[in-house]
Coordinates of all heavy atoms in Angstrom, one line a residue:
F1 N 9.2 -20.1 7.6 CA 9.5 -18.9 7.0 C 10.4 -18.1 8.0 O 10.4 -18.3 9.1 CB 8.2 -18.1 6.5 CG 7.3 -17.7 7.7 CD1 7.4 -16.4 8.2 CD2 6.3 -18.5 8.1 CE1 6.6 -16.0 9.2 CE2 5.4 -18.1 9.0 CZ 5.6 -16.9 9.6
V2 N 11.1 -17.1 7.3 CA 12.1 -16.3 8.2 C 11.3 -15.1 8.8 O 10.7 -14.4 8.1 CB 13.3 -15.8 7.2 CG1 14.2 -15.0 7.9 CG2 13.9 -17.0 6.5
T3 N 11.8 -14.8 10.0 CA 11.2 -13.7 10.8 C 12.2 -13.0 11.5 O 11.9 -12.1 12.4 CB 10.1 -14.3 11.8 OG1 10.6 -15.1 12.8 CG2 8.9 -14.9 11.1
T4 N 13.5 -13.2 11.2 CA 14.6 -12.5 11.8 C 15.3 -11.6 10.8 O 15.0 -11.6 9.7 CB 15.6 -13.5 12.3 OG1 16.1 -14.3 11.3 CG2 15.1 -14.3 13.4
G5 N 16.2 -10.8 11.3 CA 16.9 -9.9 10.5 C 16.0 -8.8 10.0 O 15.1 -8.3 10.8
P6 N 16.1 -8.3 8.7 CA 15.2 -7.3 8.2 C 13.7 -7.8 8.2 O 12.8 -7.0 8.3 CB 15.7 -7.0 6.7 CG 16.6 -8.2 6.4 CD 17.1 -8.8 7.7
Y7 N 13.4 -9.1 8.1 CA 12.2 -9.6 8.1 C 11.4 -9.4 9.5 O 10.2 -9.6 9.6 CB 12.1 -11.1 7.8 CG 12.6 -11.4 6.4 CD1 13.8 -11.6 6.0 CD2 11.6 -11.3 5.4 CE1 14.2 -11.8 4.7 CE2 12.0 -11.5 4.0 CZ 13.3 -11.7 3.8 OH 13.6 -12.0 2.4
A8 N 12.2 -9.1 10.6 CA 11.5 -8.7 11.8 C 10.8 -7.3 11.8 O 10.0 -7.2 12.6 CB 12.6 -8.7 12.9
Y9 N 11.1 -6.5 10.7 CA 10.6 -5.2 10.6 C 9.6 -5.1 9.5 O 8.7 -4.3 9.5 CB 11.7 -4.2 10.5 CG 12.6 -4.2 11.7 CD1 13.8 -4.8 11.6 CD2 12.2 -3.7 12.9 CE1 14.7 -5.0 12.7 CE2 13.1 -3.8 13.9 CZ 14.4 -4.4 13.8 OH 15.2 -4.5 14.9
V10 N 9.9 -5.7 8.3 CA 9.1 -5.6 7.1 C 8.9 -7.0 6.5 O 9.8 -7.8 6.6 CB 9.6 -4.6 6.1 CG1 9.5 -3.2 6.5 CG2 11.0 -5.0 5.7
R11 N 7.9 -7.3 5.9 CA 7.6 -8.6 5.4 C 8.2 -8.8 4.0 O 8.5 -9.9 3.6 CB 6.1 -8.9 5.1 CG 5.4 -8.9 6.6 CD 4.0 -9.4 6.5 NE 3.1 -8.6 5.8 CZ 2.4 -7.6 6.2 NH1 2.5 -7.3 7.4 NH2 1.6 -7.0 5.4
H12 N 8.6 -7.7 3.3 CA 9.2 -7.8 2.0 C 10.4 -6.8 1.8 O 10.3 -5.8 1.1 CB 8.1 -7.4 0.9 CG 6.9 -8.3 1.0 ND1 6.8 -9.6 0.5 CD2 5.7 -8.1 1.7 CE1 5.6 -10.1 0.8 NE2 4.9 -9.2 1.5
P13 N 11.5 -7.1 2.6 CA 12.6 -6.2 2.6 C 13.4 -6.0 1.2 O 13.8 -4.9 0.9 CB 13.6 -6.7 3.6 CG 13.2 -8.1 3.7 CD 11.7 -8.2 3.4
I14 N 13.3 -7.0 0.4 CA 14.0 -7.0 -0.9 C 13.1 -6.0 -1.8 O 13.7 -5.2 -2.4 CB 14.1 -8.4 -1.6 CG1 15.1 -9.2 -0.7 CG2 14.5 -8.2 -3.0 CD1 15.2 -10.6 -1.1
Y15 N 11.8 -6.2 -1.8 CA 11.0 -5.3 -2.5 C 11.2 -3.9 -2.1 O 11.2 -2.9 -2.9 CB 9.5 -5.7 -2.5 CG 9.2 -7.1 -3.2 CD1 8.0 -7.7 -2.9 CD2 10.1 -7.6 -4.1 CE1 7.6 -8.9 -3.5 CE2 9.7 -8.9 -4.7 CZ 8.5 -9.5 -4.4 OH 8.2 -10.6 -5.0
A16 N 11.2 -3.7 -0.8 CA 11.3 -2.4 -0.2 C 12.6 -1.6 -0.7 O 12.7 -0.5 -1.1 CB 11.3 -2.4 1.2
G17 N 13.8 -2.4 -0.7 CA 15.0 -1.8 -1.2 C 15.0 -1.5 -2.7 O 15.5 -0.5 -3.0
I18 N 14.4 -2.3 -3.5 CA 14.3 -2.1 -4.9 C 13.5 -0.8 -5.2 O 13.8 0.0 -6.0 CB 13.8 -3.3 -5.6 CG1 14.8 -4.5 -5.6 CG2 13.5 -2.9 -7.1 CD1 14.3 -5.8 -6.1
M19 N 12.4 -0.8 -4.4 CA 11.4 0.5 -4.6 C 12.1 1.7 -4.1 O 11.9 2.7 -4.7 CB 10.1 0.2 -3.9 CG 9.3 -0.9 -4.6 SD 7.8 -1.3 -3.7 CE 6.9 0.3 -3.9
L20 N 12.9 1.6 -3.1 CA 13.6 2.7 -2.7 C 14.6 3.3 -3.7 O 14.8 4.4 -3.9 CB 14.3 2.5 -1.3 CG 15.1 3.6 -0.7 CD1 14.2 4.7 -0.3 CD2 15.8 3.1 0.6
A21 N 15.3 2.3 -4.3 CA 16.2 2.6 -5.3 C 15.5 3.2 -6.5 O 16.0 4.2 -7.0 CB 17.0 1.4 -5.8
A22 N 14.4 2.7 -6.9 CA 13.6 3.2 -8.0 C 13.0 4.6 -7.7 O 13.0 5.5 -8.5 CB 12.4 2.3 -8.3
L23 N 12.7 4.8 -6.4 CA 12.2 6.1 -6.0 C 13.4 7.2 -6.1 O 13.2 8.3 -6.6 CB 11.7 6.1 -4.5 CG 11.3 7.5 -3.9 CD1 10.2 8.1 -4.8 CD2 10.9 7.3 -2.5
G24 N 14.6 6.8 -5.7 CA 15.8 7.6 -5.9 C 15.9 8.1 -7.3 O 16.2 9.1 -7.7
S25 N 15.8 7.0 -8.3 CA 15.9 7.4 -9.6 C 14.8 8.4 -10.1 O 15.0 9.2 -11.0 CB 15.8 6.1 -10.5 OG 16.9 5.3 -10.3
A26 N 13.6 8.1 -9.6 CA 12.4 9.0 -9.9 C 12.7 10.5 -9.4 O 12.3 11.4 -10.1 CB 11.2 8.4 -9.3
L27 N 13.3 10.6 -8.3 CA 13.6 11.9 -7.8 C 14.6 12.7 -8.6 O 14.8 13.9 -8.4 CB 14.0 11.8 -6.3 CG 13.0 11.3 -5.3 CD1 13.5 11.1 -3.9 CD2 11.8 12.2 -5.4
T28 N 15.3 12.1 -9.5 CA 16.3 12.8 -10.4 C 15.5 13.5 -11.5 O 16.1 14.2 -12.3 CB 17.3 11.8 -11.0 OG1 16.6 11.0 -11.8 CG2 18.1 11.0 -10.0
S29 N 14.3 13.4 -11.5 CA 13.4 14.1 -12.4 C 13.5 13.6 -13.9 O 13.1 14.2 -14.8 CB 13.6 15.6 -12.5 OG 13.2 16.1 -11.2
S30 N 14.0 12.3 -13.9 CA 14.0 11.8 -15.3 C 12.8 11.0 -15.6 O 12.2 10.4 -14.8 CB 15.3 10.9 -15.5 OG 15.0 9.6 -14.7
I31 N 12.4 11.1 -16.8 CA 11.1 10.4 -17.2 C 11.3 8.9 -17.1 O 10.4 8.2 -16.6 CB 10.7 10.7 -18.7 CG1 10.4 12.2 -18.9 CG2 9.6 9.9 -19.2 CD1 9.2 12.6 -18.0
F32 N 12.5 8.4 -17.4 CA 12.8 7.0 -17.2 C 12.7 6.6 -15.8 O 12.1 5.6 -15.5 CB 14.2 6.7 -17.7 CG 14.6 5.2 -17.6 CD1 14.1 4.3 -18.4 CD2 15.5 4.9 -16.6 CE1 14.4 2.9 -18.3 CE2 15.9 3.6 -16.4 CZ 15.4 2.6 -17.3
G33 N 13.3 7.4 -14.9 CA 13.2 7.0 -13.5 C 11.8 7.1 -12.9 O 11.4 6.1 -12.2
M34 N 11.0 8.0 -13.3 CA 9.6 8.0 -12.9 C 8.8 6.9 -13.4 O 8.0 6.2 -12.6 CB 9.0 9.4 -13.3 CG 9.5 10.5 -12.5 SD 8.6 12.1 -13.2 CE 10.0 13.2 -13.0
G35 N 9.1 6.6 -14.7 CA 8.3 5.4 -15.3 C 8.8 4.1 -14.6 O 7.9 3.2 -14.3
M36 N 10.0 3.9 -14.3 CA 10.4 2.7 -13.7 C 9.9 2.6 -12.3 O 9.4 1.5 -11.9 CB 12.0 2.7 -13.6 CG 12.6 2.4 -14.9 SD 12.1 0.9 -15.7 CE 12.6 -0.5 -14.5
F37 N 9.8 3.7 -11.5 CA 9.2 3.6 -10.2 C 7.7 3.2 -10.2 O 7.2 2.3 -9.5 CB 9.3 5.0 -9.5 CG 8.6 5.0 -8.2 CD1 9.2 4.3 -7.1 CD2 7.5 5.7 -7.9 CE1 8.7 4.3 -5.8 CE2 6.9 5.7 -6.7 CZ 7.5 5.0 -5.6
V38 N 7.0 3.7 -11.2 CA 5.6 3.3 -11.4 C 5.4 1.9 -11.8 O 4.6 1.1 -11.1 CB 4.9 4.3 -12.4 CG1 3.5 3.7 -12.8 CG2 4.7 5.7 -11.9
V39 N 6.2 1.4 -12.7 CA 6.2 0.0 -13.2 C 6.5 -0.9 -12.0 O 5.8 -1.9 -11.7 CB 7.0 -0.1 -14.4 CG1 7.2 -1.6 -14.7 CG2 6.5 0.6 -15.6
I40 N 7.6 -0.6 -11.4 CA 8.1 -1.5 -10.3 C 7.1 -1.6 -9.1 O 6.7 -2.6 -8.6 CB 9.5 -1.0 -9.8 CG1 10.6 -1.4 -10.9 CG2 9.9 -1.6 -8.5 CD1 11.9 -0.9 -10.6
S41 N 6.6 -0.3 -8.8 CA 5.6 -0.4 -7.6 C 4.3 -1.1 -7.9 O 3.8 -1.8 -7.1 CB 5.2 1.1 -7.3 OG 6.3 1.8 -6.9
T42 N 3.8 -1.0 -9.2 CA 2.7 -1.7 -9.6 C 2.9 -3.2 -9.6 O 2.1 -4.0 -9.2 CB 2.2 -1.2 -11.0 OG1 1.9 0.2 -10.9 CG2 0.9 -1.9 -11.4
M43 N 4.0 -3.6 -10.2 CA 4.3 -5.0 -10.3 C 4.4 -5.6 -8.9 O 3.9 -6.7 -8.6 CB 5.7 -5.2 -11.0 CG 6.1 -6.6 -11.3 SD 7.7 -6.8 -12.2 CE 8.8 -6.2 -10.9
F44 N 5.1 -5.0 -8.0 CA 5.4 -5.4 -6.7 C 4.0 -5.4 -5.8 O 3.8 -6.4 -5.1 CB 6.4 -4.6 -5.9 CG 7.8 -4.9 -6.4 CD1 8.9 -4.2 -6.0 CD2 8.1 -6.0 -7.2 CE1 10.2 -4.4 -6.3 CE2 9.4 -6.3 -7.6 CZ 10.5 -5.5 -7.2
A45 N 3.2 -4.5 -6.1 CA 1.9 -4.5 -5.3 C 1.1 -5.8 -5.6 O 0.5 -6.4 -4.8 CB 1.1 -3.2 -5.7
V46 N 1.1 -6.1 -7.0 CA 0.4 -7.3 -7.4 C 1.1 -8.6 -6.8 O 0.4 -9.4 -6.2 CB 0.4 -7.4 -8.9 CG1 -0.2 -8.8 -9.4 CG2 -0.5 -6.3 -9.5
R47 N 2.4 -8.7 -6.9 CA 3.1 -9.8 -6.4 C 3.0 -10.0 -4.9 O 2.9 -11.1 -4.4 CB 4.6 -9.7 -6.8 CG 4.9 -9.9 -8.2 CD 6.4 -9.9 -8.5 NE 6.8 -11.1 -7.8 CZ 7.9 -11.8 -8.1 NH1 8.4 -11.6 -9.3 NH2 8.4 -12.8 -7.5
I48 N 3.1 -8.8 -4.1 CA 2.9 -8.9 -2.7 C 1.6 -9.5 -2.3 O 1.6 -10.4 -1.4 CB 3.2 -7.5 -2.1 CG1 4.7 -7.1 -2.2 CG2 2.7 -7.5 -0.6 CD1 4.9 -5.8 -1.8
N49 N 0.6 -9.1 -2.9 CA -0.7 -9.6 -2.5 C -0.8 -11.2 -2.8 O -1.4 -11.9 -2.0 CB -1.9 -8.9 -3.3 CG -2.1 -7.5 -2.8 OD1 -1.9 -7.2 -1.6 ND2 -2.4 -6.7 -3.7
K50 N -0.3 -11.5 -4.0 CA -0.4 -13.0 -4.3 C 0.6 -13.8 -3.3 O 0.2 -14.9 -2.8 CB 0.0 -13.2 -5.7 CG -0.8 -12.8 -6.8 CD -0.4 -13.0 -8.2 CE -1.4 -12.5 -9.2 NZ -0.9 -12.7 -10.5
E51 N 1.7 -13.2 -3.1 CA 2.7 -14.0 -2.2 C 2.1 -14.1 -0.7 O 2.3 -15.1 -0.1 CB 4.0 -13.2 -2.2 CG 4.8 -13.5 -3.4 CD 6.0 -12.8 -3.4 OE1 6.6 -12.2 -2.4 OE2 6.7 -12.6 -4.5
E52 N 1.5 -13.1 -0.3 CA 1.0 -13.1 1.1 C -0.3 -14.1 1.1 O -0.5 -14.7 2.2 CB 0.5 -11.7 1.6 CG 1.9 -10.8 1.9 CD 1.6 -9.7 2.7 OE1 0.5 -9.1 2.7 OE2 2.6 -9.2 3.3
Q53 N -1.0 -14.2 0.2 CA -2.1 -15.1 0.1 C -1.5 -16.6 0.2 O -2.0 -17.4 0.9 CB -3.0 -14.9 -1.2 CG -4.1 -15.9 -1.3 CD -4.8 -15.8 -2.6 OE1 -4.6 -14.9 -3.4 NE2 -5.8 -16.7 -2.8
I54 N -0.5 -16.8 -0.5 CA 0.1 -18.1 -0.5 C 0.7 -18.4 0.9 O 0.5 -19.5 1.4 CB 1.3 -18.2 -1.6 CG1 0.7 -18.2 -3.0 CG2 2.2 -19.4 -1.4 CD1 1.6 -18.0 -4.1
M55 N 1.4 -17.4 1.5 CA 1.9 -17.6 2.8 C 0.8 -17.9 3.8 O 1.0 -18.8 4.8 CB 2.7 -16.4 3.2 CG 4.1 -16.3 2.4 SD 5.1 -17.6 2.6 CE 5.8 -17.2 4.1
R56 N -0.3 -17.3 3.7 CA -1.4 -17.5 4.6 C -1.9 -18.9 4.4 O -2.4 -19.6 5.5 CB -2.6 -16.4 4.4 CG -2.2 -15.1 5.1 CD -3.5 -14.1 5.0 NE -4.0 -13.9 3.6 CZ -3.6 -13.0 2.9 NH1 -2.7 -12.2 3.3 NH2 -4.1 -12.8 1.7
E57 N -1.9 -19.4 3.3 CA -2.5 -20.8 3.0 C -1.4 -21.8 3.5 O -1.8 -22.8 4.1 CB -2.6 -21.0 1.5 CG -3.9 -20.3 1.0 CD -3.9 -20.3 -0.6 OE1 -3.1 -21.0 -1.2 OE2 -4.8 -19.6 -1.1
L58 N -0.1 -21.5 3.4 CA 0.9 -22.5 3.9 C 1.1 -22.4 5.4 O 1.4 -23.4 6.0 CB 2.3 -22.1 3.2 CG 2.4 -22.4 1.7 CD1 3.8 -21.8 1.2 CD2 2.3 -23.8 1.5
F59 N 1.0 -21.2 6.0 CA 1.1 -21.1 7.4 C -0.1 -20.4 8.0 O 0.0 -19.2 8.5 CB 2.4 -20.3 7.7 CG 3.6 -20.7 7.0 CD1 4.1 -20.2 5.8 CD2 4.4 -21.8 7.7 CE1 5.2 -20.8 5.3 CE2 5.5 -22.3 7.1 CZ 5.9 -21.8 5.9
P60 N -1.2 -21.1 8.1 CA -2.5 -20.4 8.4 C -2.5 -19.8 9.9 O -3.3 -18.9 10.2 CB -3.7 -21.5 8.4 CG -2.8 -22.7 8.4 CD -1.4 -22.5 7.8
E61 N -1.7 -20.3 10.8 CA -1.7 -19.8 12.1 C -0.6 -18.8 12.3 O -0.7 -17.8 13.0 CB -1.6 -21.0 13.2 CG -2.9 -21.8 13.2 CD -2.7 -23.0 14.1 OE1 -1.9 -22.9 15.1 OE2 -3.5 -24.0 13.9
Q62 N 0.6 -19.1 11.7 CA 1.8 -18.3 12.0 C 1.8 -17.0 11.2 O 2.1 -16.0 11.8 CB 3.0 -19.1 11.7 CG 3.3 -20.3 12.6 CD 2.7 -21.5 11.9 OE1 1.9 -21.4 11.0 NE2 3.3 -22.7 12.2
Y63 N 1.4 -17.0 10.0 CA 1.6 -15.9 9.0 C 0.7 -14.7 9.5 O 1.1 -13.6 9.5 CB 1.4 -16.3 7.6 CG 2.1 -15.3 6.7 CD1 3.5 -15.1 6.6 CD2 1.3 -14.3 6.0 CE1 4.0 -14.1 5.8 CE2 1.8 -13.3 5.2 CZ 3.2 -13.3 5.1 OH 3.8 -12.2 4.3
P64 N -0.6 -14.9 9.8 CA -1.4 -13.9 10.2 C -0.9 -13.1 11.4 O -0.9 -11.9 11.6 CB -2.8 -14.5 10.5 CG -2.8 -15.6 9.6 CD -1.4 -16.1 9.6
A65 N -0.2 -13.9 12.4 CA 0.3 -13.2 13.6 C 1.5 -12.5 13.1 O 1.8 -11.4 13.7 CB 0.7 -14.4 14.6
Y66 N 2.3 -13.0 12.2 CA 3.6 -12.3 11.7 C 3.0 -10.9 11.1 O 3.7 -9.9 11.2 CB 4.2 -13.1 10.8 CG 5.4 -12.6 10.0 CD1 6.6 -12.0 10.7 CD2 5.4 -12.4 8.7 CE1 7.6 -11.5 10.0 CE2 6.5 -11.9 7.9 CZ 7.6 -11.4 8.7 OH 8.6 -10.9 8.0
Q67 N 1.9 -11.0 10.2 CA 1.5 -9.8 9.5 C 1.1 -8.8 10.6 O 1.3 -7.6 10.3 CB 0.3 -10.2 8.7 CG 0.6 -10.9 7.4 CD -0.6 -11.2 6.6 OE1 -1.5 -12.0 7.0 NE2 -0.7 -10.6 5.4
K68 N 0.5 -9.2 11.7 CA 0.1 -8.2 12.7 C 1.3 -7.4 13.3 O 1.2 -6.3 13.7 CB -0.8 -8.8 13.7 CG -2.1 -9.2 13.2 CD -3.0 -9.9 14.3 CE -4.3 -10.2 13.8 NZ -5.2 -10.9 14.7
R69 N 2.4 -8.1 13.5 CA 3.5 -7.5 14.2 C 4.6 -6.9 13.3 O 5.5 -6.2 13.8 CB 4.2 -8.5 15.1 CG 5.0 -9.6 14.5 CD 5.6 -10.5 15.5 NE 6.4 -11.5 14.9 CZ 6.0 -12.7 14.7 NH1 4.8 -13.1 15.0 NH2 6.8 -13.6 14.0
T70 N 4.4 -7.0 12.0 CA 5.4 -6.4 11.0 C 4.5 -5.6 10.0 O 3.3 -5.7 9.9 CB 6.2 -7.4 10.2 OG1 5.3 -8.2 9.5 CG2 7.0 -8.3 11.2
K71 N 5.3 -4.7 9.3 CA 4.7 -3.8 8.3 C 5.1 -4.5 7.0 O 6.0 -5.3 6.8 CB 5.2 -2.4 8.4 CG 4.9 -1.7 9.7 CD 3.4 -1.6 9.8 CE 3.1 -0.8 11.1 NZ 1.6 -0.8 11.3
R72 N 4.4 -4.1 5.9 CA 4.6 -4.7 4.6 C 5.8 -4.2 3.9 O 6.6 -5.0 3.5 CB 3.4 -4.3 3.7 CG 3.3 -5.0 2.4 CD 2.0 -4.7 1.7 NE 1.0 -5.6 2.1 CZ -0.2 -5.8 1.5 NH1 -0.5 -5.0 0.5 NH2 -0.9 -6.7 1.8
L73 N 6.1 -2.9 3.8 CA 7.2 -2.4 3.1 C 8.1 -1.4 3.9 O 9.2 -1.4 3.8 CB 6.9 -1.8 1.7 CG 6.5 -2.9 0.7 CD1 5.8 -2.1 -0.5 CD2 7.6 -3.6 0.2
V74 N 7.4 -0.5 4.6 CA 8.1 0.5 5.4 C 8.1 0.3 6.8 O 6.9 0.2 7.4 CB 7.4 1.9 5.0 CG1 8.1 3.0 5.7 CG2 7.4 2.1 3.5
P75 N 9.2 0.0 7.5 CA 9.2 -0.3 8.9 C 8.4 0.8 9.7 O 8.5 2.0 9.5 CB 10.6 -0.2 9.3 CG 11.4 -0.4 8.0 CD 10.5 0.1 6.9
F76 N 7.6 0.4 10.6 CA 6.9 1.1 11.6 C 5.7 2.1 10.9 O 5.1 2.8 11.6 CB 7.7 2.0 12.4 CG 8.9 1.3 13.1 CD1 10.2 1.5 12.7 CD2 8.6 0.3 14.0 CE1 11.2 0.8 13.2 CE2 9.8 -0.4 14.6 CZ 11.0 -0.1 14.1
V77 N 5.6 2.0 9.6 CA 4.6 2.8 8.8 C 3.6 2.0 8.1 O 2.3 2.1 8.3 CB 5.4 3.8 7.9 CG1 4.4 4.6 7.2 CG2 6.3 4.7 8.7
W78 N 4.1 1.2 7.1 CA 3.2 0.5 6.2 C 3.7 -0.8 5.7 O 4.9 -0.9 5.2 CB 2.8 1.3 5.0 CG 1.9 0.6 4.1 CD1 0.6 0.3 4.3 CD2 2.1 0.2 2.7 NE1 0.0 -0.2 3.2 CE2 1.0 -0.3 2.2 CE3 3.3 0.2 1.9 CZ2 0.9 -0.9 0.9 CZ3 3.2 -0.3 0.6 CH2 2.0 -0.9 0.2

Protein backbone atom coordinates (compact mmCIF):
# COMPACT_ATOMS: atom_id res chain seq x y z
CA PHE A 1 0.00 0.00 0.00
CA VAL A 2 1.08 3.61 -0.59
CA THR A 3 2.44 5.65 2.31
CA THR A 4 4.07 8.56 0.45
CA GLY A 5 2.74 11.86 -0.86
CA PRO A 6 -0.57 12.87 0.73
CA TYR A 7 -0.84 9.36 2.22
CA ALA A 8 2.03 10.27 4.53
CA TYR A 9 -0.36 12.64 6.35
CA VAL A 10 -3.84 11.16 5.95
CA ARG A 11 -5.05 7.66 5.18
CA HIS A 12 -7.90 8.78 2.91
CA PRO A 13 -6.84 11.96 1.06
CA ILE A 14 -9.34 11.53 -1.77
CA TYR A 15 -12.25 11.29 0.66
CA ALA A 16 -10.87 14.27 2.57
CA GLY A 17 -10.78 16.38 -0.60
CA ILE A 18 -14.30 15.45 -1.62
CA MET A 19 -15.60 16.16 1.88
CA LEU A 20 -13.83 19.53 1.88
CA ALA A 21 -15.51 20.42 -1.41
CA ALA A 22 -18.88 19.30 -0.01
CA LEU A 23 -18.29 21.40 3.10
CA GLY A 24 -17.60 24.39 0.89
CA SER A 25 -20.93 23.82 -0.82
CA ALA A 26 -22.66 23.46 2.55
CA LEU A 27 -21.21 26.78 3.71
CA THR A 28 -23.02 28.57 0.88
CA SER A 29 -26.16 28.00 2.98
CA SER A 30 -27.90 26.07 0.26
CA ILE A 31 -30.09 23.17 1.32
CA PHE A 32 -28.62 21.09 -1.50
CA GLY A 33 -25.05 21.76 -0.31
CA MET A 34 -25.88 20.89 3.28
CA GLY A 35 -27.67 17.73 2.22
CA MET A 36 -24.78 16.63 0.02
CA PHE A 37 -22.32 17.17 2.85
CA VAL A 38 -24.38 15.01 5.21
CA VAL A 39 -24.86 12.26 2.63
CA ILE A 40 -21.21 12.23 1.55
CA SER A 41 -19.90 12.32 5.12
CA THR A 42 -22.15 9.44 6.17
CA MET A 43 -21.29 7.36 3.13
CA PHE A 44 -17.55 7.90 3.56
CA ALA A 45 -17.67 7.13 7.29
CA VAL A 46 -19.13 3.72 6.52
CA ARG A 47 -16.71 3.07 3.65
CA ILE A 48 -13.65 4.15 5.63
CA ASN A 49 -14.41 1.71 8.42
CA LYS A 50 -14.88 -1.15 5.96
CA GLU A 51 -11.77 -0.27 3.95
CA GLU A 52 -9.59 0.00 7.03
CA GLN A 53 -10.81 -3.39 8.24
CA ILE A 54 -9.81 -4.90 4.90
CA MET A 55 -6.41 -3.22 5.03
CA ARG A 56 -5.77 -4.55 8.55
CA GLU A 57 -6.58 -8.05 7.28
CA LEU A 58 -4.33 -7.72 4.22
CA PHE A 59 -1.45 -6.04 6.07
CA PRO A 60 -1.76 -7.18 9.72
CA GLU A 61 1.64 -5.83 10.79
CA GLN A 62 2.15 -2.79 8.57
CA TYR A 63 -1.30 -1.17 8.53
CA PRO A 64 -1.78 -0.77 12.30
CA ALA A 65 1.62 0.96 12.45
CA TYR A 66 0.58 3.20 9.56
CA GLN A 67 -2.67 4.02 11.37
CA LYS A 68 -0.72 5.11 14.44
CA ARG A 69 1.47 7.56 12.52
CA THR A 70 -1.20 9.08 10.25
CA LYS A 71 -4.61 10.64 10.70
CA ARG A 72 -7.79 9.40 9.07
CA LEU A 73 -8.98 12.53 7.19
CA VAL A 74 -7.59 15.76 8.66
CA PRO A 75 -3.78 16.06 8.86
CA PHE A 76 -2.49 16.36 12.45
CA VAL A 77 -6.09 16.38 13.83
CA TRP A 78 -8.28 13.35 12.97
